Amino acid sequence: MDNQLMDKLVSLCKRRGYVFPGSEIYGGLANTWDFGPLGVELKNNIKKFWWQTMVWQRDDVVGLDSSIIMNPKVWEASGHVSNFSDPLIDCKNCKSRFRADELMAGKYGDISMKDGKTSCPLCGGELTESRKFNMMFKTFVGPMEDSSSLIYLRPETAQGIFNNFKQVLNVSRKKIPFGIAQIGKAFRNEITPGNFIFRTLEFEQMEMEFFVKPDSDRRWYNYWVSERFDWYLKLGLKKENIRKRPHEKNELAHYAKACTDIEYSFPFASLGEDGRPWGELEGIANRTDYDLSNHMEHSGKDLNYFDEINKASFLPYVIEPSAGMDRMTLAVLIDAYHEEKDENGEIRIVLKINPKIAPIKVAILPLVKNKENIVKLSQKLYQSLRSEFMVDYDEIGSIGRRYRRQDEAGTPYCLTVDFDSLEDKAVTLRDRDTMKQERINISEINDWLRDKLK
Ligand code: GAP
């Protein structure tokens, strides 16, 4: 997979309504993207799959939806005001902006030394000193724009979970170990955004904070690294395209004792030691009691957990699997993109998305649109399926063209209603991946689909 393929994918996403450039009628706004009719379905399906695994199917995790805007003291306590920053260097000549660590690592090309000073790898111009740049977006509440009304857009959903730890514990009557899961928007004023929806200013996170006894942190950390890796296989990503990568000590976030990234082989990412490109999908971090102890200190509220069995209080440690929704969606799309020969030997583009998360599950295609009986039967089938599944109805163009459209949309199954259907009460079921066709009785379709999408 190469970057040319990224161009093809971006184009397909726009053409089929997965992802559009943001604010397009005004010339766009860099690094903002909108999810179109198919994109929103795909995202919702992935989120639902995450939620089912992380919340519904577990006894030890409950859900939360906390607000994006929080008391600014939260971000002082969490360390984000003082630590959530990247070192930044500008070129005084060509105005390019670099992250200091990436510049020094040679990501933008070789840096040369001129008069004992490093110079811009792009134009050779003079560079500024390294400055700390806080990545939190700031805004104001109410009419006064001063420090008393300053607030931040959350850069991670996790802090809403820590703030609600005690309340959730009380109402859910859970015992440690237990977790709180949340899906929601996060915002970061990134210095080097880009690569389509990989790094954007606004994105969605799927995070779970799992509270454990301090001396059991290693065990739970290993458990969650393995659980989360397996989850991506169930999502349908190819095993050879994902890997686990433990962080080096010098790349750990300010709150973490250990972290393992689950990475995907994004074609645009930096090359790993194995010569393949790898980029982060999710991080599983051991946040220790960093957050709860800081919030306890700053808020003055007791956030200790009382262990009924040992009659002792302690501050739990936290293991956090934190995933990026938009990156996951991108990985699913890249993994699914295929170009191959169709029935007539012509190239077809097909998104082989796992049917369970595909936006449209089935398309109803009446063979002809001007035969009343066929249209009537097709409509009846359409209405009977749509209460349970996301169904498309398409009667425009030749059957071949309609198949191509659904292939590009990633629709796993097409049902063609033809003249025989009027007699035998069966339709042609066409499989997206194998292109095989078989007859299926109309009365069996719901059960068949239910079984396939279980
Ligand atoms: N609460 C921990 C935390 O926020 P992180 O590694 O900074 O950890 C978690 O972010 C995930 O969020 C990342 O693995 C990535 O998938 C996603 N993410 C982070 N910044 C992003 C951005 N600017 N655009 C899109 N996704 C991003």
Side-chain angles (χ1 to χ4, degrees):
M1 169 96 57
D2 50 24
N3 281 323
Q4 200 191 343
L5 227 78
M6 276 310 293
D7 292 343
K8 291 183 190 173
L9 186 72
V10 173
S11 155
L12 180 142
C13 282
K14 189 165 187 221
R15 184 166 76 242
R16 288 286 158 230
Y18 271 100
V19 186
F20 303 128
S23 315
E24 210 196 12
I25 62 169
Y26 289 98
L29 175 68
N31 304 301
T32 64
W33 299 90
D34 297 337
F35 288 83
L38 294 190
V40 65
E41 295 293 336
L42 177 60
K43 283 219 304 183
N44 283 344
N45 293 344
I46 298 175
K47 283 190 257 185
K48 186 166 179 202
F49 181 49
W50 186 87
W51 195 262
Q52 282 174 335
T53 332
M54 300 297 276
V55 181
W56 289 7
Q57 289 161 11
R58 299 190 65 100
D59 294 329
D60 55 2
V61 179
V62 291
L64 179 77
D65 184 14
S66 68
S67 70
I68 288 172
I69 296 170
M70 301 178 78
N71 189 316
K73 288 183 188 150
V74 168
W75 305 109
E76 283 164 27
S78 70
H80 282 82
V81 170
S82 45
N83 292 321
F84 195 62
S85 50
D86 274 344
L88 181 76
I89 290 180
D90 286 316
C91 172
K92 290 182 185 169
N93 181 43
C94 70
K95 311 291 178 215
S96 295
R97 180 159 283 181
F98 310 99
R99 263 176 55 178
D101 50 337
E102 292 181 350
L103 185 74
M104 295 308 166
K107 186 178 169 190
Y108 305 95
D110 289 338
I111 44 172
S112 57
M113 301 288 282
K114 215 167 62 181
D115 305 330
K117 244 177 143 180
T118 49
S119 58
C120 175
L122 305 183
C123 75
E126 194 184 339
L127 297 170
T128 62
E129 293 293 314
S130 169
R131 293 175 286 134
K132 268 190 154 191
F133 170 73
N134 194 293
M135 292 196 288
M136 282 195 292
F137 276 106
K138 302 177 185 71
T139 187
F140 301 93
V141 171
M144 303 300 286
E145 297 196 359
D146 58 26
S147 60
S148 67
S149 61
L150 174 73
I151 50 141
Y152 303 96
L153 299 186
R154 68 180 178 199
E156 62 170 9
T157 68
Q159 296 305 325
I161 297 180
F162 296 126
N163 271 254
N164 283 288
F165 166 65
K166 262 297 169 72
Q167 303 201 82
V168 174
L169 185 65
N170 291 340
V171 297
S172 63
R173 292 180 292 132
K174 294 283 176 203
K175 302 253 180 306
I176 274 176
F178 92 104
I180 305 175
Q182 162 153 254
I183 299 176
K185 289 268 183 179
F187 303 82
R188 294 183 190 177
N189 202 353
E190 296 278 1
I191 296 173
T192 51
N195 289 321
F196 196 29
I197 53 173
F198 181 81
R199 193 182 303 282
T200 48
L201 307 179
E202 171 186 342
F203 55 98
E204 267 182 299
Q205 289 188 318
M206 308 202 283
E207 299 199 297
M208 199 272 289
E209 309 301 318
F210 199 73
F211 301 90
V212 303
K213 276 190 180 160
D215 59 4
S216 66
D217 62 336
R218 267 168 196 259
R219 184 162 56 83
W220 282 110
Y221 172 70
N222 291 334
Y223 168 85
W224 279 112
V225 169
S226 143
E227 280 291 299
R228 293 301 307 148
F229 185 82
D230 291 348
W231 185 85
Y232 284 95
L233 298 177
K234 288 186 208 134
L235 183 70
L237 294 185
K238 297 188 191 92
K239 194 170 183 185
E240 65 270 24
N241 288 343
I242 52 174
R243 71 169 189 181
K244 300 172 200 160
R245 189 185 66 82
H247 275 210
E248 304 288 339
K249 280 271 172 285
N250 64 1
E251 57 175 325
L252 288 173
H254 65 269
Y255 48 72
K257 170 175 157 187
C259 185
T260 294
D261 281 349
I262 296 174
E263 298 185 326
Y264 182 79
S265 189
F266 289 105
F268 46 75
S270 327
L271 298 184
E273 336 55 76
D274 60 355
R276 292 186 67 195
W278 293 101
E280 175 185 347
L281 269 179
E282 165 162 356
I284 297 103
N286 180 349
R287 291 182 81 127
T288 70
D289 60 1
Y290 176 89
D291 301 273
L292 288 182
S293 67
N294 278 321
H295 285 307
M296 192 154 92
E297 187 189 324
H298 281 74
S299 69
K301 296 282 182 326
D302 181 11
L303 299 179
N304 277 297
Y305 173 83
F306 184 69
D307 180 351
E308 307 265 356
I309 296 172
N310 297 315
K311 304 286 177 222
S313 285
F314 65 88
L315 213 50
Y317 266 37
V318 171
I319 308 301
E320 173 197 66
S322 170
M325 173 65 225
D326 311 73
R327 280 186 195 184
M328 209 181 281
T329 306
L330 179 56
V332 165
L333 289 167
I334 292 173
D335 225 52
Y337 187 94
H338 286 80
E339 287 180 6
E340 56 187 41
K341 295 247 169 73
D342 70 4
E343 306 90 335
N344 307 317
E346 282 165 18
I347 296 289
R348 70 163 186 150
I349 296 172
V350 52
L351 286 186
K352 295 186 176 177
I353 302 177
N354 176 355
K356 294 180 186 69
I357 55 165
I360 300 167
K361 304 302 185 204
V362 58
I364 314 290
L365 316 175
L367 187 67
V368 288
K369 62 174 179 183
N370 48 7
K371 282 278 176 280
E372 200 187 326
N373 286 351
I374 288 189
V375 171
K376 224 173 174 175
L377 184 59
S378 306
Q379 275 291 336
K380 200 172 152 202
L381 181 57
Y382 177 46
Q383 299 305 341
S384 85
L385 289 174
R386 68 191 304 194
S387 61
E388 203 175 334
F389 309 103
M390 177 70 189
V391 190
D392 192 16
Y393 183 91
D394 187 3
E395 56 177 24
I396 297 168
S398 70
I399 275 290
R401 280 184 151 228
R402 283 184 265 168
Y403 283 155
R404 278 308 83 75
R405 270 203 291 272
Q406 297 299 336
D407 286 345
E408 283 202 353
T411 308
Y413 310 110
C414 288
L415 296 171
T416 303
V417 182
D418 56 23
F419 291 98
D420 289 342
S421 309
L422 301 172
E423 304 301 324
D424 64 4
K425 299 286 177 270
V427 293
T428 300
L429 167 73
R430 187 249 192 197
D431 183 282
R432 174 196 68 196
D433 299 346
T434 62
M435 293 188 281
K436 289 227 169 71
Q437 304 190 4
E438 58 180 295
R439 290 298 272 185
I440 181 168
N441 288 331
I442 291 177
S443 59
E444 291 166 14
I445 293 173
N446 282 63
D447 283 347
W448 187 90
L449 265 179
R450 219 172 278 139
D451 190 51
K452 285 279 175 197
L453 303 173
K454 213 165 28 198

